[in-house]
Amino acid sequence: MSDKDKDSDNPFEELQKHIQSIMGDPRVRMQGVHAKPAQPAQGSGDGGDGGEDDEEKTAKERLKRIRHFKLKPREVFNQLDRYVIGQKDAKKVLSVAVCDHYNHIRHQFENPDEAKSFEYQKQNILLLGPTGVGKTYLMKNLAKLIGVPFVKADATKFSETGYVGSDVEDLVRDLVKAADGDVDLAEKGIIYIDEIDKIASESTSGAKDVSGRGVQINLLKLMEETEVNPFSQTDMMGQMQAMMGGGGRGKSQRRINTRNILFIVSGAFDQLAKSIQKRIGKSGMGFASDVPEDDQELHRYLAHAETNDFIGYGFEPEFVGRIPVRVAFESLSSQDLAKILTTSEGSVLRQYIRDFENHGIRLEIDEEAIQAIAEKAHNEQTGARGVMSVLERLFRSSKFELPSTRVTELKVDQEFVKNPDAVLEQLLEEYGFDASEERKAIAGFCEQFEQDHGLRIHFSDDALSYLAERTAAEEKELPEFCETHFQDLPYGLKIVSRNTGEKTFQIDRACAENPDREISNWVIQSFQDDKKSEKDA
């Protein structure tokens, strides 16, 4: 059955045609669904909302970039090299494949008749390699460089029918959303599907995964060339909106052709690597020289994957055939992670430097500390994602404590990486708590206390430090917290004042932590001092 015949069986399309045929009958009334009246086209002088005009202008500019695509593979490589460390082979392969694909699209604009007669095999791409090596990040920067819409999804969320889970055609619809509703632009976009190895139809138990095979077949149709309905078969509201002529001014509701959409799929393929290891081991030829004896990492076998390996893994031959470009990513070494920290334009370390700068603190990290952080991240075994985990643990307490101190510079060395809490404790002892903001916040409370009770109170820096911690933990303002926390303070201080004649009191940390206990001690002490003064008299 052809795609055209199959699409004609869509019950929602039949419903749409039926309702359209009877909409002219005045006896028919639609309840619960109200179509907005068609809006006339607005010119520049109509004073209408220019938001959609801006979207159309942006889409036209992006299409213009595709029409005039002139990038060379080396230029693409150099751009990717700014953001992704290592993976030279992967960047070379991607640069060539992407340039070939978008040069072909450019030729379609320049010579449409010639392009129709030219048989072009689309270079869909398969990326193999462990997590955290830059696969997704590479693709995002690639799409940004070219100026095309980009959609990323995990293969595990799809089902064969789309009723349980998502339909693979939703990827194409999401591409239209990423193109701000411009179908022409969406038809030149990039769809990136991660965890593709999870839909292999041969499970580890040896039983066939029928749903995985069905998803592969549905993806195969998209990769070849098909036309996708702009609304899902389960999207009843979308179907009704299309029937009513909705979708917004200038937003085409025509079907989306997938001929020029570039599909890039990726996965870790751990089990495949083991299978290739067995195959290579049996042949006993050549591979030992490719991998150093001290670095027999399993993923390196993926560079030797062949078509039969993927078929044996559980992929349909036709599906594998539609992904002719295959490239294996390498695991990141500690040296690679150190370069990511220092030279990558997308380094997360820059984010931490800015976070501290926002509080007036300059963050400096020496080379030994960089290497120590990279070693810790490498031990995480999650690639570049391990860098974020290590940095978060390393600076967690410092980002909380130091903004409230007089510290203006934080120097990170190897000792800090080994024991950040000990170094932080030394800094807090040396620079102390900066109570200036808290003192301003509590000034009103102190003034009101003196007006109401005729007694003057002052808070030590240690007391304000404790109160700042409590208010932050309870998400309360300092004056509001003090009203409740020190509600019995006036009664105790008045007794002390009557016995001693004191009118000014210092609230230290002990009193801030447990005011009832401390004030009770002060009252007892004041009575003892009062009796002693009577005896002396």
Side-chain angles (χ1 to χ4, degrees):
M1 181 182 293
S2 66
D3 290 342
K4 185 176 180 181
D5 292 335
K6 187 173 182 180
D7 290 337
S8 65
D9 293 334
N10 188 333
F12 291 99
E13 290 189 357
E14 292 298 322
L15 175 63
Q16 176 179 327
K17 292 177 182 178
H18 180 65
I19 296 179
Q20 284 176 332
S21 67
I22 63 174
M23 280 298 290
D25 191 335
R27 294 172 296 174
V28 177
R29 295 184 180 181
M30 300 293 290
Q31 294 184 349
V33 179
H34 303 279
K36 293 183 179 180
Q39 297 294 326
Q42 296 180 359
S44 58
D46 291 338
D49 185 4
E52 292 190 3
D53 291 332
D54 292 339
E55 289 179 4
E56 291 173 5
K57 182 179 179 181
T58 301
K60 288 180 180 178
E61 290 174 350
R62 294 168 76 181
L63 274 172
K64 184 178 179 181
R65 289 176 63 183
I66 299 171
R67 286 174 182 268
H68 300 283
F69 182 86
K70 295 290 185 181
L71 289 173
K72 306 292 191 298
R74 171 61 68 178
E75 294 172 340
V76 175
F77 179 93
N78 291 339
Q79 179 70 11
L80 297 178
D81 214 30
R82 295 168 53 191
Y83 296 93
V84 178
I85 299 301
Q87 314 299 351
K88 287 188 177 181
D89 288 342
K91 284 183 283 192
K92 285 180 181 179
V93 172
L94 286 169
S95 298
V96 172
V98 166
C99 283
D100 287 348
H101 180 74
Y102 285 98
N103 277 326
H104 173 69
I105 293 177
R106 175 170 59 83
H107 286 310
Q108 289 182 354
F109 284 118
E110 295 173 348
N111 302 294
D113 293 334
E114 180 184 341
K116 289 179 181 179
S117 62
F118 183 78
E119 188 69 25
Y120 177 75
Q121 297 296 324
K122 187 164 56 174
Q123 299 189 54
N124 297 314
I125 303 167
L126 170 61
L127 310 178
L128 306 92
T131 183
V133 294
K135 299 190 293 290
T136 302
Y137 192 53
L138 198 64
M139 297 320 307
K140 285 182 178 179
N141 281 284
L142 192 59
K144 184 178 179 181
L145 171 64
I146 302 169
V148 296
F150 174 83
V151 167
K152 187 255 183 184
D154 289 340
T156 53
K157 80 173 188 177
F158 299 112
S159 66
E160 182 177 1
T161 62
Y163 287 98
V164 179
S166 299
D167 183 354
V168 293
E169 291 187 350
D170 290 338
L171 288 167
V172 180
R173 299 182 187 103
D174 289 342
L175 204 58
V176 176
K177 293 177 184 176
D180 294 324
D182 191 291
V183 174
D184 288 332
L185 180 59
E187 288 178 337
K188 282 80 179 174
I190 295 176
I191 291 178
Y192 175 57
I193 308 172
D194 197 10
E195 296 190 351
I196 197 69
D197 52 327
K198 301 297 193 301
I199 64 166
S201 61
E202 190 74 27
S203 68
T204 54
S205 63
K208 287 287 184 180
D209 179 3
V210 179
S211 178
R213 182 177 182 274
V215 174
Q216 289 181 48
I217 293 173
N218 290 340
L219 280 173
L220 177 62
K221 295 176 183 177
L222 297 183
M223 290 180 181
E224 290 175 334
E225 180 181 1
T226 190
E227 292 192 344
V228 176
N229 192 318
F231 298 106
S232 169
Q233 60 180 342
T234 59
D235 182 9
M236 186 63 180
M237 186 58 68
Q239 298 280 354
M240 297 296 291
Q241 184 184 30
M243 180 197 68
M244 294 295 186
R249 179 174 60 86
K251 299 300 170 79
S252 173
Q253 299 303 324
R254 68 174 175 84
R255 299 171 73 85
I256 308 121
N257 189 287
T258 65
R259 178 184 181 188
N260 290 321
I261 295 176
L262 184 62
F263 286 83
I264 301 172
V265 298
S266 72
F269 288 95
D270 294 331
Q271 298 300 319
L272 179 63
K274 293 179 181 179
S275 175
I276 298 172
Q277 182 186 36
K278 293 179 182 178
R279 173 171 61 80
I280 295 291
K282 288 179 181 179
S283 67
M285 296 175 60
F287 188 62
S289 61
D290 295 340
V291 183
E293 291 184 3
D294 60 347
D295 192 21
Q296 295 283 351
E297 295 177 336
L298 190 62
H299 74 274
R300 295 204 174 190
Y301 288 90
L302 293 174
H304 297 260
E306 300 175 354
T307 298
N308 286 334
D309 294 318
F310 293 105
I311 295 173
Y313 191 72
F315 285 102
E316 296 298 308
E318 297 84 356
F319 181 79
V320 178
R322 286 297 177 182
I323 315 174
V325 182
R326 304 161 196 164
V327 57
F329 279 63
E330 302 174 352
S331 284
L332 298 174
S333 66
S334 59
Q335 288 77 18
D336 291 329
L337 296 176
K339 289 180 181 178
I340 288 175
L341 284 165
T342 55
T343 64
S344 172
E345 292 192 20
S347 172
V348 70
L349 181 58
R350 297 187 178 193
Q351 175 181 322
Y352 278 82
I353 291 174
R354 179 176 293 181
D355 289 342
F356 279 101
E357 285 179 348
N358 290 335
H359 297 291
I361 301 172
R362 182 182 178 185
L363 181 65
E364 291 186 0
I365 305 180
D366 64 27
E367 292 184 8
E368 290 184 349
I370 290 290
Q371 193 57 47
I373 293 170
E375 291 286 350
K376 284 180 172 287
H378 186 256
N379 292 335
E380 295 278 325
Q381 297 295 314
T382 55
R385 293 187 180 94
V387 172
M388 183 71 172
S389 299
V390 171
L391 290 177
E392 194 282 326
R393 291 197 301 268
L394 190 64
F395 293 115
R396 180 183 300 170
S397 298
S398 296
K399 290 178 73 175
F400 178 80
E401 297 286 356
L402 294 184
S404 299
T405 69
R406 298 188 300 274
V407 173
T408 58
E409 185 178 64
L410 176 60
K411 293 185 176 181
V412 178
D413 54 16
Q414 206 166 12
E415 183 60 32
F416 185 95
V417 177
K418 289 180 180 178
N419 197 342
D421 291 337
V423 176
L424 175 61
E425 188 175 345
Q426 293 176 2
L427 287 172
L428 294 177
E429 289 179 0
E430 182 177 353
Y431 291 94
F433 175 73
D434 182 7
S436 56
E437 294 297 323
E438 282 70 19
R439 201 166 292 286
K440 291 178 183 177
I442 209 170
F445 174 78
C446 295
E447 291 175 2
Q448 189 64 44
F449 191 93
E450 184 175 5
Q451 291 179 13
D452 293 343
H453 308 292
L455 302 173
R456 184 175 299 173
I457 56 175
H458 297 288
F459 288 83
S460 68
D461 286 354
D462 284 344
L464 290 176
S465 175
Y466 170 78
L467 293 175
E469 293 173 6
R470 285 289 306 273
T471 52
E474 299 184 20
E475 298 182 349
K476 292 183 178 180
E477 295 295 328
L478 187 56
E480 174 192 359
F481 177 80
C482 289
E483 288 286 350
T484 304
H485 192 62
F486 296 108
Q487 60 182 350
D488 295 329
L489 186 63
Y491 307 108
L493 291 186
K494 286 179 180 179
I495 295 174
V496 175
S497 178
R498 186 172 61 246
N499 290 340
T500 63
E502 292 288 338
K503 297 293 183 181
T504 301
F505 298 91
Q506 178 83 357
I507 308 299
D508 57 14
R509 185 180 182 98
C511 184
E513 290 178 350
N514 195 333
D516 292 340
R517 182 191 63 196
E518 289 301 306
I519 295 301
S520 295
N521 292 337
W522 291 1
V523 170
I524 293 172
Q525 186 64 42
S526 70
F527 278 112
Q528 292 176 348
D529 292 343
D530 185 46
K531 290 181 180 180
K532 184 178 179 181
S533 61
E534 289 179 358
K535 289 181 180 179
D536 292 341

